[in-house]
Amino acid sequence: MAKGAAQKGKKEKDVAQAPGSSPRLPAGRHGLPREFIEQNQRERIITALVDTVAERGYNATTVAHITKAASVSRRTFYEHFADKEACFLAAYELVADHIRDSMRAAAASFAEWPQQVRAALATMLRFLAAEPDLARLCMVEPVAAGGEIAARHRASMQGFVEILKAGRPSHTGERPLPAATEETLVGGIVSLIVREISAGRGSELEKLLPDLTELILAPYLGAEEAEKLAREDA
């Protein structure tokens, strides 16, 4: 029993001092500016939420779990966040904004729309494959959480929708595309990604790039051209 407790304590210490997270503050009078302390605490709480949600899932995670992992009091938690949902949304926004900005930057490096789509999708898949805890946070847990979190997730997906809508002038079919084409495509992509993450295959997400690119491009360019472009450098 003592050994298990020691191992658990070591794990929590490693989480608090892991690369990319904020270190614990020294006890007592440390003389650090209040602004630094508040920022340090907020970052530790967000990091703790990410780790705890990855381990337990959003619905099973409590404020007590988060504060224990972050080594802060409940009072400190509520000084930064109104509740667990607010803390999750803060973490989600950081990740979603990073993914969106990275996708836009990748797309902007190409002049032609099909290559922009492929570059944006490749960037998203690469990030999700490399960051399993963040992938679960921003792709799987919002669906389980529901409410405002799920609504925010749907809103964040609009960034990819706008990239796809830019391809409407490239449409080669005789009949116009349905108004919901882009939302349907993004919804399908998200469902496939969630399926792979939930099945424990998140590290292999980049393998989906050719198939997902073809799926996206086909309504605009036709099946044959979409397949050709999707398999370039595959």
Side-chain angles (χ1 to χ4, degrees):
M1 185 74 176
K3 181 179 179 181
Q7 290 175 339
K8 183 177 180 182
K10 182 180 184 301
K11 180 179 179 182
E12 290 171 357
K13 181 178 180 181
D14 291 342
V15 167
Q17 298 182 347
S21 63
S22 299
R24 294 177 180 173
L25 293 173
R29 296 176 63 85
H30 38 63
L32 296 173
R34 180 172 181 80
E35 293 78 8
F36 175 84
I37 296 171
E38 291 176 348
Q39 183 64 24
N40 178 282
Q41 290 172 339
R42 180 180 175 86
E43 290 175 358
R44 280 162 51 200
I45 292 169
I46 289 176
T47 298
L49 174 131
V50 172
D51 294 340
T52 307
V53 167
E55 179 183 354
R56 299 173 178 272
Y58 175 80
N59 291 322
T61 293
T62 65
V63 170
H65 292 140
I66 299 169
T67 57
K68 184 176 182 180
S71 295
V72 299
S73 67
R74 291 179 67 89
R75 177 179 178 179
T76 297
F77 177 90
Y78 287 113
E79 286 175 353
H80 292 278
F81 302 103
D83 50 26
K84 180 182 73 171
E85 181 182 70
C87 184
F88 184 97
L89 287 171
Y92 178 87
E93 289 296 336
L94 288 173
V95 179
D97 287 352
H98 173 77
I99 293 175
R100 183 194 64 236
D101 292 345
S102 298
M103 291 175 67
R104 287 177 177 174
S109 62
F110 291 89
E112 300 297 325
W113 176 77
Q115 284 70 35
Q116 292 176 354
V117 169
R118 194 175 194 278
L121 184 57
T123 297
M124 179 177 69
L125 294 175
R126 188 180 307 114
F127 175 84
L128 296 176
E131 300 288 348
D133 289 356
L134 299 183
R136 179 167 291 278
L137 178 93
C138 68
M139 302 301 289
V140 178
E141 295 302 330
V143 177
E148 176 62 23
I149 293 174
R152 193 75 62 88
H153 178 56
R154 290 191 295 270
S156 72
M157 291 297 103
Q158 283 299 119
F160 201 10
V161 167
E162 295 307 315
I163 291 176
L164 299 189
K165 284 185 176 180
R168 282 185 172 258
S170 302
H171 177 49
T172 58
E174 296 180 0
R175 305 175 67 178
L177 292 171
T181 296
E182 289 76 20
E183 284 79 3
T184 302
L185 289 171
V186 171
I189 291 168
V190 170
S191 295
L192 289 172
I193 290 173
V194 168
R195 183 193 68 184
E196 294 302 295
I197 295 173
S198 300
R201 296 189 292 268
S203 62
E204 302 176 13
L205 282 174
E206 290 183 86
K207 294 180 180 179
L208 296 178
L209 179 59
D211 288 343
L212 294 184
T213 302
E214 182 177 351
L215 174 68
I216 291 173
L217 296 181
Y220 303 89
L221 307 179
E224 184 175 345
E225 183 65 14
E227 181 180 10
K228 176 184 175 182
L229 292 173
R231 305 299 159 176
E232 287 182 354
D233 302 323

